[in-house]
Amino acid sequence: MSTRRLRRLALAMGLASLSACGGGGGGSNGSFLPLPGTGTGTAPSSTTGGAVGDASGGTTATTTTPSTTGSDGSNHSGPAAFAKQPLANYVNTMRGANSSGDFTRGNTFPAIAVPFGFNFWTPVNRNDNNWFYQFHTSTGETSDGAPIKTIHAFATVHEPSPWIGNRQSLAIMPIGDLGKLNPDNRAQTYSRAKEVAHAHYYSVIFDNGIRTEITPTDHAAYFRFTAPAAMSTSTVLFDRFAGEGSGNLAVDTAANAVSGRVDNNGDKNAPLMYFYAKFDAPITASKNIDAGSLKTWVQFATPSNAKVVGMKIATSFISVEQAKDNLVQEIGDRSFDDVQQLAAAAWDDKLNTVQVEGSTEDAATPAAIKAFEQKKITLYSNMYRAFLYPNSAWENVRDATTGKGTPTYMSPYVSGTPKRQGKIWVNNGFWDTYRTTWPLYSLLVPTQAGEMLDGFVNAYKDGGWVPRWSGPDYRDSMVATSSDVIFADAYLKGVRNFDADAAYASMLRNASVNSTDGAKGRKGMNKSVFHGYVPSDAMSRESVAWSLEADLNDFGIAQMAKALNKPDDQAYYMDRALNYTRLFSDQGTGAWAGKWFREKDSTGQWTDGGTTPDDWGYGYTEGNAWSYQFLAPQDGQGLANLHGGRAQLKASLDTFFSAPAYLQRGSYWTVIHEIKEARAVSLLAGVGQYQHSNQPVHHSIYMYNYAGAPSQGQKYLRDVMSKLYTSGFDANGVSDGSGYYGDEDNGEQSAWYVFSAMGFYPVSMGRPEYAIGAPYFPKMVVNLENGKRIVITAPGVSDTNRYVQSLRLNGQPITRSYLLHKEIADGATLEFVMGAQPSSWGTGENDVPSSITQGNAKPAPLRSLLPTGSYTVSSSSAGDLQNVYDRDSDSAWQSTSANAWIEADAATGQPASVPRIYTLTSGTQDAGQDPRSWKLKASKDGATWVTLDERSNESFTWRQQTRPFALKAGAEAYSKYRIEFDNTSAMTVSEFELLVQ
């Protein structure tokens, strides 16, 4: 039976398409299932990722019990029906690589790797440490530069993003002319029709006849070089990557091996990389090009009966000996085909967490079959990207005597990268990935998610902070400490195999301590904690972005505090999660008339840098006021109330999705690539200011659920998925480097697609809940780690039938537009009925997702009483008294006498207030001057005092740390408040707050 007939039969049967078998020979990406290999593997291990109760910070839904049968009586769940499909060949690693710093279609490179692997291996066609692989010399919105038709090296790299840069790299190149050893003259031409680019296998045949094949393991790879008939010797060159850094290499002719180290880490606190490579053919000659340097070639005889030279190579961040042992552990005596099969199996394990089936129409004609195959390539290539990052950075160090292995890493979070026991993962920009990739891991691979999260907790244990951007050290890039909400979200979804106490401590440090290192913690914390936002006069750029992102991370902390039974923190951070309201403006005039989050200074004045909401930059990160208009998903009901109600929120969203996009540079030095891509997205998908090319808006489609209008989101979902994501192949089936618009960013754009294809999305991170959208495929089966399945059916779904008419969960009809995690974590059936017209499904009063705010009142966080001027403040030590309420922890009040006190008395005519929470902030001095025991008292007349709260033996872990203390509910209003400290020596307080309604 022909392969074409097999494919058609498989589609008609609802199975994955079959590919031809092969051991690494032939094929090109011109076929929709590029050869070689079947990628078969073993069934995934079954471990339990338990579901937990609701901790939504809002209303609790009525839940349904997972069922093994659908409403039609068919069996939809249970491990018995699982059959692993060969999916690795659907991965096109070239997707997104037609990019540059001027215009990106993913900003990816064709990484050959195993899931979450230690190394990436890649072809290299540019002598650039950041953008080392591109399709064209330049890229643009409507046209690109000249195509790049050469490759000058293959390399191991460790780049998380071109904007962060590469490190720990080694270039390798088979050469045919010993007189051409530099990147510019050794580069070889080739045809993309003779290139295969999967995650588990890469192959290319140069026009000079040399063929290179690569297949990966975690710390190693197997190269196979095949010489053309006329080439009697084969030469392999080792070189510095992009001409940067230094290194050395030694040739061991007796062992047919080479080894060495490279140091090309630039400004990154990263360990050196060591390598060990062993060839399966005798080394007949070698030459070190520059004495004592890395650049060296080794040569082999390749007569007519021995044209293939294999090279097994492993790397280590510890030593050459460890690299050698990594090679033994991961490849050993295995053949190239053995390693390739294992790599394919590793990807099949991950890719088979999601299986899809087409409709009868998808198998009706050759064109329909081709179109459905393209959709599967897009899906599984997206899953490849989602499972590519973060990367392991630990090694199994074996005892020389016992052979027992110990996980070990060189810590990039401590100067000098000392050796530590344990595991870490690196390469992640949490501002991007918190939105989609981490919740995807919690759903699909919860055990792996916990292990990786524990690796990032090790960053806190080593360096005192979890990085905002791990690359691999602390990178001062992007905004927010988004690991806060990542930890909380995973914990609330039942991921418990990480050090939750240490994770929580890292969250508190991020949210309560002023950092003097721009690469660590939140910026502007000396003032933002006490204003409830980052004042624009304290941060000239990105103040709105830092503020809003802090609020949703504070929501995550509140949720985690509730789960860990920390009531003071829960009350305080849940209140802080409402701070988004402080930057909401509906009273603007002129261009700023409308409903926006705007820049505000420390006096409370609006200070918009841009002249209109269209202007990029200023208070916004990689966006404009439109980009951040709905960035309060933790409190969708509260946001709706600020807009005037759900109908008004819908109207604002409608305007957002129809407003034109412009090419204006705003506060940037030029029209940056994000602006160009946003306009391209607007024109192509017809989504107005919905800038899907960048992360800040990715939740916005699902905010329609909070507006009680989910069908409006469904209107746009299909177009975004169909028009802004491609398979990366042109009409002739050749890789063209397309795939996305904008930076793909460590799997974030890809995971957005995967969730949206399922028909639900984690719109409010930190809440174990998903907003319901609309499925993309007629049938999808999500195979969970615990052996259960989520079976999602949407018969007839299409570009026309994109609207949900009704939904059954485990056979029971539901109208609410959200799902609880616990309803699907142990398997479920979701049966969608789709139609061509919007329906009333999900529009009921109680159908919206959960929120902090309940009812129709506008949310209002607590206000700080003392800085308002309505209370007179006195103390036991009058010097610098104003420092204790100046909203700046850089200054402090100090008492040199014992039994210090601070009192606040209502001014004449001022109403009494009811405090809910009070805070104390430590100073910059030694911890010995921190307050430890105290009483908070209150009085109505100054004569009779009652104790509202008493604390003993408290401590402040960090300098300039703000600690909250919640008061019991039902407290009365008082006109006088006094905090009395039980100190016996000098004591310092930088801020004292009374937070009142």
Side-chain angles (χ1 to χ4, degrees):
M1 185 181 291
S2 70
T3 301
R4 177 177 294 178
R5 290 188 65 196
L6 278 170
R7 288 178 181 153
R8 293 191 65 180
L9 178 60
L11 280 167
M13 294 172 62
L15 301 174
S17 295
L18 303 178
S19 65
C21 297
S28 78
N29 279 352
S31 63
F32 294 110
L33 276 179
L35 304 180
T38 62
T40 57
T42 58
S45 59
S46 177
T47 55
T48 301
V52 296
D54 178 69
S56 63
T59 57
T60 301
T62 301
T63 62
T64 63
T65 303
S67 170
T68 59
T69 58
S71 61
D72 59 359
S74 59
N75 190 344
H76 286 319
S77 66
F82 174 78
K84 181 170 289 187
Q85 301 171 359
L87 300 175
N89 281 338
Y90 278 100
V91 172
N92 175 12
T93 63
M94 291 289 171
R95 288 179 73 246
N98 186 18
S99 303
S100 73
D102 294 324
F103 189 88
T104 83
R105 298 179 179 89
N107 228 351
T108 68
F109 64 91
I112 308 150
V114 296
F116 309 120
F118 187 88
N119 292 322
F120 299 131
W121 305 88
T122 181
V124 179
N125 64 11
R126 297 184 75 245
N127 200 35
D128 188 295
N129 195 47
N130 293 21
W131 280 270
F132 45 78
Y133 190 91
Q134 293 182 188
F135 268 66
H136 296 87
T137 55
S138 63
T139 57
E141 184 177 352
T142 57
S143 62
D144 297 330
I148 300 176
K149 300 180 179 180
T150 60
I151 291 172
H152 71 246
F154 303 95
T156 179
V157 297
H158 295 85
E159 180 173 84
S161 162
W163 305 108
I164 298 297
N166 190 28
R167 65 183 192 277
Q168 298 158 321
S169 301
L170 174 68
I172 303 165
M173 183 65 178
I175 58 174
D177 187 340
L178 294 180
K180 297 179 179 179
L181 302 179
N182 296 322
D184 57 344
N185 61 20
R186 74 185 184 222
Q188 293 297 315
T189 58
Y190 71 103
S191 167
R192 291 197 180 275
K194 295 184 177 181
E195 182 181 49
V196 179
H198 302 308
H200 71 288
Y201 174 81
Y202 174 87
S203 172
V204 67
I205 302 174
F206 293 146
D207 291 345
N208 68 4
I210 296 176
R211 180 180 185 179
T212 301
E213 299 168 274
I214 308 171
T215 189
T217 70
D218 193 356
H219 299 80
Y222 206 139
F223 281 65
R224 188 159 62 184
F225 304 107
T226 304
M231 191 175 288
S232 59
T233 61
S234 289
T235 306
V236 177
L237 176 72
F238 295 85
D239 199 359
R240 292 184 301 159
F241 186 88
E244 295 197 4
S246 61
N248 59 46
L249 183 146
V251 180
D252 185 345
T253 304
N256 298 312
V258 301
S259 61
R261 66 165 175 81
V262 293
D263 180 1
N264 55 359
N265 295 327
D267 67 342
K268 300 172 181 65
N269 185 54
L272 302 180
M273 187 184 77
Y274 303 88
F275 61 91
Y276 181 87
K278 186 172 180 60
F279 296 90
D280 58 13
I283 297 175
T284 58
S286 66
K287 183 178 181 180
N288 181 250
I289 307 305
D290 300 312
S293 73
L294 173 63
K295 194 168 189 175
T296 301
W297 56 256
V298 291
Q299 198 168 73
F300 311 88
T302 49
S304 58
N305 63 342
K307 307 302 293 183
V308 178
V309 175
M311 180 185 75
K312 304 173 182 178
I313 181 170
T315 68
S316 170
F317 297 155
I318 298 173
S319 67
V320 167
E321 285 304 311
Q322 183 61 38
K324 185 176 181 180
D325 194 52
N326 288 343
L327 189 63
V328 172
Q329 292 183 50
E330 296 184 7
I331 296 183
D333 295 329
R334 293 185 178 94
S335 69
F336 183 96
D337 293 347
D338 291 339
V339 175
Q340 178 189 339
Q341 188 175 40
L342 289 171
W347 279 107
D348 281 340
D349 280 346
K350 293 295 187 289
L351 301 179
N352 271 276
T353 55
V354 174
Q355 297 174 331
V356 294
E357 299 177 11
S359 64
T360 54
E361 290 80 5
D362 290 320
T365 66
I369 293 171
K370 178 178 178 180
F372 189 70
E373 289 289 274
Q374 292 282 357
K375 290 179 181 178
K376 291 180 72 174
I377 292 169
T378 301
L379 171 66
Y380 290 115
S381 297
N382 280 331
M383 292 188 68
Y384 148 75
R385 286 291 304 180
F387 288 123
L388 193 61
Y389 297 96
N391 304 115
S392 68
W394 59 275
E395 304 170 55
N396 184 42
V397 177
R398 298 194 291 186
D399 183 270
T401 303
T402 66
K404 180 181 179 181
T406 300
T408 305
Y409 64 94
M410 308 299 287
S411 179
Y413 304 111
V414 181
S415 178
T417 65
K419 186 183 292 187
R420 296 280 194 264
Q421 288 190 359
K423 300 179 181 181
I424 62 167
W425 276 259
V426 298
N427 290 349
N428 221 243
F430 292 128
W431 180 75
D432 300 304
T433 59
Y434 86 83
R435 305 164 200 268
T436 59
T437 61
W438 287 101
L440 189 69
Y441 305 151
S442 293
L443 178 65
L444 298 183
V445 287
T447 300
Q448 174 90 62
E451 191 173 5
M452 293 190 299
L453 289 175
D454 202 54
F456 284 108
V457 172
N458 281 335
Y460 168 72
K461 294 177 179 178
D462 288 355
W465 305 82
V466 173
R468 294 198 311 272
W469 227 117
S470 166
D473 55 349
Y474 297 103
R475 295 280 92 191
D476 186 4
S477 180
M478 307 313 296
V479 303
T481 54
S482 300
S483 58
D484 303 338
V485 76
I486 290 172
F487 286 133
D489 190 75
Y491 192 83
L492 293 175
K493 289 174 179 172
V495 177
R496 299 295 166 86
N497 59 321
F498 66 97
D499 188 337
D501 290 334
Y504 185 73
S506 78
M507 298 159 70
L508 284 187
R509 188 172 195 185
N510 285 335
S512 67
V513 175
N514 181 54
S515 172
T516 56
D517 185 334
K520 300 173 182 177
R522 302 182 188 178
K523 294 185 178 181
M525 287 289 288
N526 59 323
K527 295 183 178 180
S528 64
V529 172
F530 314 108
H531 286 278
Y533 60 93
V534 180
S536 58
D537 49 348
M539 182 182 291
S540 61
R541 293 287 184 266
E542 304 185 320
S543 61
V544 176
W546 276 96
S547 299
L548 297 179
E549 295 282 4
D551 302 338
L552 64 86
N553 278 285
D554 287 345
F555 172 72
I557 297 172
Q559 293 282 79
M560 189 79 160
K562 180 179 180 180
L564 297 178
N565 191 28
K566 299 180 182 294
D568 288 339
D569 291 345
Q570 178 192 345
Y572 176 64
Y573 287 102
M574 192 63 79
D575 180 71
R576 275 180 39 171
L578 297 176
N579 276 340
Y580 71 92
T581 63
R582 301 184 193 276
L583 295 184
F584 182 80
S585 167
D586 60 359
Q587 301 296 317
T589 60
W592 287 98
K595 301 173 178 65
W596 309 101
F597 291 119
R598 298 168 60 187
E599 296 174 79
K600 181 185 284 188
D601 67 16
S602 57
T603 69
Q605 300 299 308
W606 301 114
T607 57
D608 308 296
T611 56
T612 77
D614 296 313
D615 292 335
W616 279 61
Y618 301 103
Y620 311 97
T621 299
E622 295 181 357
N624 55 16
W626 292 101
S627 315
Y628 289 82
Q629 192 176 17
F630 308 105
L631 191 56
Q634 73 274 19
D635 192 29
Q637 183 63 53
L639 184 65
N641 295 350
L642 290 178
H643 278 252
R646 294 178 185 175
Q648 288 73 23
L649 177 61
K650 176 186 178 298
S652 296
L653 283 161
D654 290 344
T655 302
F656 169 72
F657 277 96
S658 60
Y662 302 100
L663 290 177
Q664 298 172 343
R665 69 180 181 89
S667 66
Y668 294 104
W669 65 96
T670 188
V671 178
I672 59 175
H673 74 93
E674 289 92 347
I675 299 175
K676 300 173 187 176
E677 294 143 13
R679 194 175 85 118
V681 164
S682 181
L683 295 175
L684 181 61
V687 288
Q689 286 280 354
Y690 175 75
Q691 305 144 7
H692 191 78
S693 45
N694 209 13
Q695 279 69 29
V697 303
H698 279 182
H699 67 294
S700 301
I701 286 180
Y702 294 95
M703 294 302 286
Y704 271 116
N705 289 36
Y706 287 106
S711 62
Q712 278 296 100
Q714 296 156 17
K715 172 183 177 181
Y716 297 111
L717 271 172
R718 192 92 185 171
D719 287 338
V720 170
M721 298 179 72
S722 295
K723 296 178 180 180
L724 302 182
Y725 292 84
T726 70
S727 69
F729 291 114
D730 66 16
N732 298 315
V734 176
S735 295
D736 61 12
S738 65
Y740 311 89
Y741 281 84
D743 291 350
E744 194 276 342
D745 286 323
N746 299 145
E748 193 283 334
Q749 277 213 50
S750 295
W752 185 97
Y753 180 99
V754 176
F755 265 124
S756 293
M758 291 178 184
F760 52 86
Y761 182 85
V763 66
S764 177
M765 278 291 289
R767 182 177 275 126
E769 188 176 297
Y770 306 90
I772 297 173
Y776 191 71
F777 293 93
K779 183 174 183 180
M780 176 183 284
V781 178
V782 180
N783 298 297
L784 301 174
E785 186 181 82
N786 59 13
K788 303 298 180 62
R789 304 189 305 159
I790 307 170
V791 180
I792 305 158
T793 56
V797 67
S798 65
D799 289 349
T800 299
N801 296 324
R802 63 179 63 192
Y803 298 102
V804 175
Q805 307 297 301
S806 65
L807 171 62
R808 287 180 177 267
L809 170 63
N810 300 323
Q812 300 300 313
I814 65 168
T815 61
R816 55 181 161 89
S817 64
Y818 65 97
L819 297 167
L820 301 181
H821 180 77
K822 64 183 178 182
E823 292 177 317
I824 61 175
D826 284 321
T829 60
L830 297 171
E831 300 169 274
F832 289 85
V833 175
M834 308 300 295
Q837 299 297 323
S839 75
S840 61
W841 178 86
T843 62
E845 178 67 24
N846 297 318
D847 288 342
V848 301
S850 302
S851 291
I852 301 171
T853 299
Q854 305 298 307
N856 298 321
K858 292 183 178 181
L862 301 177
R863 61 187 179 91
S864 183
L865 185 64
L866 302 188
T868 63
S870 58
Y871 274 62
T872 301
V873 183
S874 58
S875 72
S876 58
S877 178
D880 298 323
L881 176 59
Q882 71 282 357
N883 290 348
V884 85
Y885 58 93
D886 65 355
R887 290 177 166 169
D888 187 345
S889 66
D890 284 342
S891 62
W893 167 80
Q894 186 178 67
S895 173
T896 57
S897 62
N899 301 316
W901 54 266
I902 303 170
E903 184 173 320
D905 301 328
T908 303
Q910 292 294 328
S913 300
V914 181
R916 301 299 184 190
I917 300 169
Y918 68 99
T919 75
L920 291 169
T921 303
S922 59
T924 59
Q925 80 302 322
D926 183 84
Q929 293 189 34
D930 291 343
R932 296 194 176 277
S933 300
W934 61 82
K935 294 179 182 179
L936 179 67
K937 297 181 175 181
S939 175
K940 296 181 179 180
D941 57 9
T944 302
W945 291 83
V946 296
T947 299
L948 300 181
D949 191 51
E950 182 174 1
R951 305 285 170 136
S952 300
N953 299 316
E954 298 288 344
S955 63
F956 291 77
T957 306
W958 304 286
R959 304 301 82 217
Q960 291 181 273
Q961 178 191 4
T962 299
R963 290 197 56 199
F965 306 94
L967 299 175
K968 295 180 180 179
E972 298 180 48
Y974 294 94
S975 59
K976 298 178 183 292
Y977 295 96
R978 180 185 178 99
I979 186 167
E980 297 176 351
F981 300 99
D982 187 17
N983 63 304
T984 58
S985 58
M987 188 196 69
T988 302
V989 176
S990 64
E991 288 292 313
F992 169 51
E993 291 182 293
L994 287 170
L995 302 179
V996 302
Q997 292 289 175

